[in-house]
Amino acid sequence: AQKVTQAQTEISVVEKEDVTLDCVYETRDTTYYLFWYKQPPSGELVFLIRRNSFDEQNEISGRYSWNFQKSTSSFNFTITASQVVDSAVYFCALWNSGYSTLTFGKGTMLLVSP
Amino acid sequence: DGGITQSPKYLFRKEGQNVTLSCEQNLNHDAMYWYRQDPGQGLRLIYYSQIVNDFQKGDIAEGYSVSREKKESFPLTVTSAQKNPTAFYLCASSRTTAGNEQFFGPGTRLTVL
């Protein structure tokens, strides 16, 4: 079985604050991929990152960074110096070789106020 | 530009009517997917297709049907058997189903009156 848990339903921050979105996953496979997507109010999901299970290096892309820790089965996402445009629902997802599709978490709604 | 288009963006239907949601992609992807999203919920998979003329049921296929006659098209029909069809429907595609990132269309919001 595989499962993705995003325990934070909603987070509110003020602009310029740093914020971390948590993602915990469960899988029995050793080969898997983890993803983050952003869903702005318009509704379309935007792909942010894909990480495979053999690469535990942290990733930084501008104000975004991702921390992958197999020891805790977590793939957390940090936004540095948040901006109002970061307001969206963020989904974490998992794929493993036993499945043909992604398993999504329930999402975390991030509200960034000016 | 390459991408996924869904039409219409908003759709209203009366109870008891079937309705078909369109999804087209020009990314040359083999795999396509349909998801349903309800308020405050994650994405739930309805159907997916790994290749033309093939499709598989997802977690909530009851009351829905699909076809995949062309690589670029994957229409979803919401039938009158679907008990609670009001939701936001998202179509996606990926190169294959083997761990590739999925790209999403803008979605169709279906409301049953």
Side-chain angles (χ1 to χ4, degrees):
Chain A
Q2 61 178 26
K3 185 179 176 183
V4 175
T5 301
Q6 295 180 255
Q8 303 151 310
T9 306
E10 186 173 323
I11 301 175
S12 292
V13 299
V14 177
E15 222 174 4
K16 297 183 184 170
E17 281 185 34
D18 297 348
V19 57
T20 295
L21 310 181
D22 297 333
C23 174
V24 174
Y25 62 92
E26 294 175 28
T27 178
R28 293 181 185 156
D29 260 1
T30 55
T31 301
Y32 53 90
Y33 290 91
L34 294 161
F35 302 79
W36 275 96
Y37 285 86
K38 174 182 180 180
Q39 186 178 38
S42 61
E44 181 173 342
L45 266 77
V46 177
F47 166 73
L48 295 177
I49 190 171
R50 179 180 80 155
R51 173 67 68 194
N52 77 54
S53 53
F54 299 108
D55 182 2
E56 282 194 78
Q57 275 194 333
N58 290 336
E59 174 107 4
I60 298 175
S61 175
R63 296 185 297 106
Y64 294 172
S65 63
W66 290 268
N67 183 292
F68 177 28
Q69 291 197 334
K70 288 173 78 169
S71 60
T72 55
S73 297
S74 65
F75 186 44
N76 296 338
F77 173 31
T78 297
I79 302 175
T80 302
S82 59
Q83 299 176 2
V84 172
V85 293
D86 296 326
S87 296
V89 180
Y90 291 86
F91 290 97
C92 181
L94 166 70
W95 177 92
N96 69 25
S97 57
Y99 293 78
S100 296
T101 63
L102 301 183
T103 297
F104 284 86
K106 290 193 184 299
T108 297
M109 178 178 287
L110 174 64
L111 299 171
V112 182
S113 54
Chain B
D1 284 1
I4 301 175
T5 57
Q6 291 186 242
S7 61
K9 188 157 180 67
Y10 298 94
L11 189 55
F12 299 87
R13 81 151 213 226
K14 293 181 180 177
E15 264 190 67
Q17 290 180 336
N18 292 355
V19 63
T20 298
L21 282 58
S22 166
C23 177
E24 305 275 330
Q25 55 99 358
N26 61 3
L27 300 167
N28 200 31
H29 286 169
D30 282 325
M32 296 187 74
Y33 313 80
W34 274 106
Y35 293 92
R36 170 181 171 139
Q37 186 177 27
D38 295 286
Q41 299 291 315
L43 277 67
R44 291 186 290 170
L45 182 67
I46 305 172
Y47 269 98
Y48 68 98
S49 167
Q50 297 187 76
I51 200 164
V52 175
N53 292 322
D54 176 74
F55 49 83
Q56 308 293 331
K57 291 182 179 180
D59 301 319
I60 54 165
E62 186 175 347
Y64 300 97
S65 66
V66 293
S67 63
R68 186 87 188 275
E69 297 174 1
K70 297 187 296 183
K71 187 175 186 177
E72 57 271 20
S73 179
F74 191 41
L76 173 74
T77 296
V78 184
T79 75
S80 55
Q82 169 49 233
K83 299 266 186 281
N84 185 19
T86 295
F88 187 54
Y89 291 87
L90 285 156
C91 178
S93 72
S94 61
R95 278 195 301 117
T96 70
T97 57
N100 300 121
E101 56 269 34
Q102 296 180 13
F103 295 93
F104 285 79
T108 292
R109 193 166 299 278
L110 173 64
T111 302
V112 174
L113 304 172

